[in-house]
Amino acid sequence: MADQPRIILISRDAALVESFSAACATRGVAADCFGSLKEAWEHWSKPETALLGVVADASGLTEEENKSILPLHQLPESPRLIRLAAPAADGASGGALENARWPLSPDFLQRLGREAAIPHVFLVDSTLFSTGFMQAALNQEGWEAVQLESTIGIAETLRTATAWEEAEEKTSLLGKLFSQGKERRGERRKGRAVVALWKGSSLEAEAAARLLRGSLPEVRVYLVTMHSPLREAEQGLRLGKSAELPRELADKAILLLEGVPVEDGASKWRILLVENFKVALVALTQSLMAQGYEIAATMQSDEALETARRERFDLAVVGAAVAFAKQTSIELAQKLRETDPDMRLILMVDRYPLQQALQGVSKVVEVGLDDCLLKPVEPSRLQFSVERALERRRLLLENARLIRELKVSNDRLERLTGFQSKFFATVAHDVKNPLTAVRGYAELLSMKITEPELVKCVDHIMSSSKTLEALVSDLVDFAAIESGKLRVELGPCDLLQVVGDVRSRIEVAAKKRRIQFEVRVPPSLARIKGDPLRLGQVIQNLCTNAVQYTPEGGSVSLSVENDPEKITVSVRDTGIGIAKEDLPRVFQRFFQTEAAQKMRRAGFGLGLKIAQEIVHAHGGEIAVESELGKGSRFYFTIPVPSSPPAALAGPP
Ligand SMILES: Nc1ncnc2c1ncn2[C@@H]1O[C@H](COP(=O)(O)OP(=O)(O)OP(=O)(O)O)[C@@H](O)[C@H]1O
Ligand SMILES: [Mg+2]
């Protein structure tokens, strides 16, 4: 049986604890909630295989706790950690580093306008860097921006006035591209900025910003990302780091720790775009972004591969160079496929050399590509392919989600069944034994006492313990049926003998209820292969029902008919009968009609289910005919084995 996965939550907020635990429960995950880091640490430091990770409500922890949690997380074998933080607003200030999300909001742009006198540094991811989007946006606002491939030399660039003139030369091409031909030369620039490529984490960016502010105190440093906080957290976990999530996304932490692809409301399809020709890269990125996709764009295939290993993408569009490239686009596509077998792939190949192009097309089937387009690719043509590929991706994800849900309910069921069998085993051993003792002692007592009052008491003890024993036996049989372990031992069996044994017991019960009971059997019966005890149980169950569900003064008959291929045992009664719509359900476990419940003693509604199971184990059938208010006939058949000599003799 699978261990139930667990998540440790450290929080002092009762509402969060409650909603988090509930969210965990729906996913079949156990939430262990602690009010302090110390308590939680005692648990997470113990090796536990099913611990998915730790979620810490950082905004509610003491400063001391927040300080100690990271080093604890860095210890070897420590579980994954997600810290829940109060949401960081766009452009929120505080530390040396501020955050901004791409596309830049109008508020943010306005703020830039107001702060144009201050030198700015924008740390941007490779997509914003290689497409030149960030720089173009700044240019459009009338800012001068220098692009730097690293954070080295930022302070110097900002200090040297000459750098701006050079920058203007360098960036005029891009500037023109994005300002739709507007000539900005000669216009008075509003502000100055450096746009630097940033490949590190946000924590590392914070450190870099601090360093920068050390040498240039007035500078403002922004980390501009296209990622949602959820993506960032997902990425952090992938890299084995601790992740940070806004508090309101606490329930998403569960999915992240489960390793389930998470879709947040705002989340878009993520596309990795590799294209070695910059103009095409910019045009395709722009057109896909306009469609609402989240794009990571790069011109370098090495970088594409590295990014794909670090982040999760729904689709990769690969248009890397073929000639003179370290790896062809086909090779790159193959490597990308290895990083994630479910990622969709579209290839864009050069028309020439023709052979390469043909090879690309043929790979559509081989590598499982979604499409292969010939360059130059029209943005609208790519959009069409992308939509189709993502539809396939959506179906795949939906499939995976359904499978996961099925697994959660399976695990839950498995745990429940495990509990059930344990429970029944306990009942069998721990309840049955003392019950037998009670009955034994009561029998002993009944032999010794003569006082009528006491004799009556002891009789009650005996009959009640018998009822209890029967109930417990039914439960044990039922548990055996459920786990496929009901013991039925087939051997030579004399059914007349079995009927005779049951008859005497039923006669007593029938007499008590003033019910006429008759038995009709042929003088002899064919020998069958059967389990006498189990067949006796079936006949007794049917007869007990007949007697129980027949009003006083009625009659019950048990008859046996002998055919060459089978023996049929029928129990007829003139009882309450069963409504037509209930007939198919009487053999289901725990089913009892309302009318029956009113006129019976204790019972679980398992008698017929057990009877059916036993008859099936004998290769026979069991069935019922009944009319409400008039009576019923329950009957079952047991096959008669054809004796080998007779079979061999053939027809006379
Ligand atoms: N001879 C009968 N006449 C009318 N209803 C019957 C008859 N036999 C069975 N039933 C209906 O079928 C239901 C299921 O029968 P079953 O023997 O499985 O359970 P039960 O008698 O209720 O409880 P127990 O587990 O003690 O046998 C009964 O509750 C009753 O509603
Ligand atoms: Mg019954």
Side-chain angles (χ1 to χ4, degrees):
M1 198 175 66
D3 268 349
Q4 186 176 18
R6 327 183 69 79
I7 291 179
I8 288 179
L9 171 70
I10 314 170
S11 176
R12 292 196 254 277
D13 177 350
L16 178 74
V17 167
E18 192 180 321
S19 65
F20 190 84
S21 306
C24 276
T26 58
R27 304 204 48 86
V29 174
D32 299 336
C33 305
F34 301 99
S36 72
L37 175 60
K38 189 169 171 288
E39 279 173 89
W41 168 246
E42 277 163 22
H43 282 79
W44 105 46
S45 56
K46 284 185 207 134
E48 220 208 290
T49 45
L51 184 62
L52 295 178
V54 177
V55 177
D57 178 14
S59 55
L61 298 188
T62 62
E63 202 175 316
E64 196 52 43
E65 281 175 318
N66 272 322
K67 247 191 235 158
S68 353
I69 197 163
L70 286 177
L72 285 180
H73 168 250
Q74 279 153 9
L75 292 175
E77 317 250 321
S78 178
R80 289 175 304 166
L81 172 67
I82 296 182
R83 291 179 308 145
L84 302 177
D90 235 19
S93 55
L97 181 77
E98 303 175 40
N99 290 299
R101 201 166 307 290
W102 183 269
L104 301 174
S105 67
D107 281 358
F108 184 81
L109 292 172
Q110 260 180 14
R111 185 174 158 181
L112 283 190
R114 286 196 302 274
E115 293 175 352
I118 308 168
H120 278 63
V121 173
F122 297 95
L123 303 177
V124 302
D125 63 20
S126 70
T127 305
L128 289 175
F129 190 82
S130 58
T131 55
F133 283 176
M134 183 68 209
Q135 205 179 7
L138 289 170
N139 285 164
Q140 209 142 33
E141 291 300 306
W143 282 52
E144 291 173 30
V146 180
Q147 248 183 231
L148 289 183
E149 289 231 6
S150 80
T151 47
I152 302 164
I154 292 183
E156 290 68 35
T157 311
L158 283 170
R159 276 200 207 102
T160 352
T162 52
W164 302 106
E165 278 123 52
E166 283 169 24
E168 197 152 355
E169 288 302 319
K170 274 192 207 150
T171 58
S172 56
L173 173 70
L174 267 172
K176 273 180 205 156
L177 236 167
F178 287 98
S179 55
Q180 282 115 22
K182 241 188 268 168
E183 190 51 75
R184 288 181 173 273
R185 238 168 233 272
E187 276 179 30
R188 206 173 62 85
R189 295 290 179 167
K190 275 195 249 164
R192 293 179 167 190
V194 166
V195 175
L197 174 62
W198 184 254
K199 290 186 180 174
S201 71
S202 50
L203 270 178
E204 289 158 343
E206 174 90 39
R210 240 178 281 128
L211 217 73
L212 210 66
R213 294 259 291 245
S215 62
L216 209 69
E218 72 274 22
V219 73
R220 267 190 192 285
V221 188
Y222 284 97
L223 179 67
V224 189
T225 76
M226 301 208 288
H227 290 175
S228 67
L230 208 53
R231 287 283 162 259
E232 216 132 294
E234 192 177 38
Q235 203 173 313
L237 288 180
R238 266 191 175 214
L239 296 174
K241 299 180 181 169
S242 78
E244 203 165 278
L245 264 189
R247 247 171 139 256
E248 68 271 16
L249 295 180
D251 57 336
K252 299 280 194 259
I254 307 165
L255 305 181
L256 286 177
L257 290 176
E258 277 184 297
V260 168
V262 190
E263 305 305 331
D264 53 351
S267 135
K268 309 161 190 165
W269 292 113
R270 306 200 67 229
I271 303 176
L272 175 64
L273 179 63
V274 199
E275 165 61 61
N276 58 310
F277 182 46
K278 182 148 185 171
V279 176
L281 180 80
V282 170
L284 295 178
T285 305
Q286 264 186 331
S287 109
L288 290 175
M289 271 185 172
Q291 294 298 303
Y293 300 120
E294 200 177 306
I295 311 292
T298 171
M299 290 170 63
Q300 315 288 332
S301 37
D302 302 2
E303 193 179 274
L305 204 55
E306 200 184 294
T307 313
R309 288 192 179 126
R310 207 173 52 221
E311 302 173 29
R312 189 175 61 81
F313 291 96
D314 299 297
L315 166 70
V317 178
V318 181
V322 172
F324 315 117
K326 259 191 262 162
Q327 50 195 341
T328 65
S329 18
I330 294 165
E331 281 165 354
L332 177 58
Q334 269 161 336
K335 284 187 186 151
L336 287 172
R337 161 71 75 236
E338 281 162 23
T339 67
D340 178 357
D342 293 335
M343 179 164 63
R344 308 317 316 156
L345 275 168
I346 295 176
L347 204 61
M348 301 188 294
V349 290
D350 287 318
R351 255 164 233 270
Y352 308 103
L354 198 62
Q355 188 155 1
Q356 288 277 8
L358 284 176
Q359 202 188 346
V361 177
S362 75
K363 288 281 170 182
V364 170
V365 183
E366 210 175 295
V367 190
L369 296 176
D370 287 84
D371 211 346
C372 179
L373 308 172
L374 291 181
K375 286 189 190 182
V377 177
E378 273 295 311
S380 60
R381 178 68 187 85
L382 180 61
Q383 264 175 36
F384 173 75
S385 277
V386 162
E387 271 164 33
R388 267 198 340 192
L390 288 177
E391 179 55 23
R392 237 166 278 155
R393 170 78 175 164
R394 197 185 61 72
L395 290 175
L396 256 162
L397 288 178
E398 181 63 13
N399 233 0
R401 188 184 65 79
L402 290 175
I403 290 172
R404 272 195 311 274
E405 267 177 21
L406 209 66
K407 196 180 163 301
V408 168
S409 35
N410 262 353
D411 285 355
R412 208 175 283 166
L413 211 66
E414 214 174 274
R415 276 195 293 277
L416 220 64
T417 328
F419 168 76
Q420 204 183 39
S421 12
K422 235 188 229 164
F423 173 76
F424 284 125
T426 312
V427 168
H429 293 109
D430 298 0
V431 181
K432 242 184 154 178
N433 293 347
L435 257 179
T436 317
V438 169
R439 195 152 69 89
Y441 282 117
E443 268 164 22
L444 210 72
L445 260 182
S446 73
M447 285 187 265
K448 302 244 161 167
I449 51 174
T450 47
E451 203 179 314
E453 277 291 302
L454 282 182
V455 170
K456 230 177 170 180
C457 287
V458 174
D459 276 352
H460 276 308
I461 297 178
M462 283 202 293
S463 76
S464 297
S465 45
K466 260 190 217 162
T467 310
L468 261 177
E469 267 181 319
L471 287 175
V472 171
S473 294
D474 275 0
L475 280 184
V476 172
D477 281 349
F478 172 66
I481 289 172
E482 291 291 284
S483 56
K485 290 184 197 146
L486 184 75
R487 281 183 61 173
V488 176
E489 280 161 23
L490 302 183
C493 173
D494 178 357
L495 203 62
L496 280 183
Q497 172 83 44
V498 175
V499 171
D501 290 346
V502 177
R503 176 186 195 152
S504 50
R505 272 175 269 159
I506 299 300
E507 270 169 353
V508 180
K511 206 168 162 192
K512 269 192 197 160
R513 303 205 60 227
R514 295 198 296 115
I515 282 168
Q516 202 189 326
F517 179 59
E518 67 166 6
V519 179
R520 268 179 285 128
V521 287
S524 70
L525 274 182
R527 298 285 269 185
I528 53 160
K529 266 178 82 181
D531 182 331
L533 283 179
R534 289 298 190 188
L535 287 177
Q537 194 180 353
V538 175
I539 300 173
Q540 170 140 358
N541 279 1
L542 297 184
C543 290
T544 308
N545 280 353
V547 170
Q548 264 181 35
Y549 304 126
T550 299
E552 293 204 356
S555 61
V556 170
S557 73
L558 165 63
S559 62
V560 182
E561 283 144 54
N562 204 1
D563 285 326
E565 302 94 46
K566 62 179 192 288
I567 293 175
T568 309
V569 180
S570 307
V571 178
R572 294 184 175 79
D573 65 56
T574 58
I576 56 171
I578 300 159
K580 225 176 173 179
E581 63 270 22
D582 287 337
L583 272 180
R585 301 168 64 196
V586 291
F587 292 102
Q588 284 173 7
R589 55 190 186 171
F590 303 120
F591 175 78
Q592 298 178 314
T593 65
E594 242 172 68
Q597 286 184 44
K598 282 183 195 144
M599 55 190 305
R600 56 199 292 289
R601 296 169 299 124
F604 293 114
L606 289 174
L608 286 178
K609 173 79 196 160
I610 295 169
Q612 184 186 48
E613 211 63 33
I614 295 172
V615 170
H616 285 171
H618 282 81
E621 291 300 331
I622 187 164
V624 57
E625 295 159 357
S626 182
E627 204 174 321
L628 196 61
K630 292 225 166 127
S632 317
R633 174 188 171 226
F634 278 87
Y635 61 97
F636 70 91
T637 59
I638 300 290
V640 174
S642 50
S643 63
L648 281 177

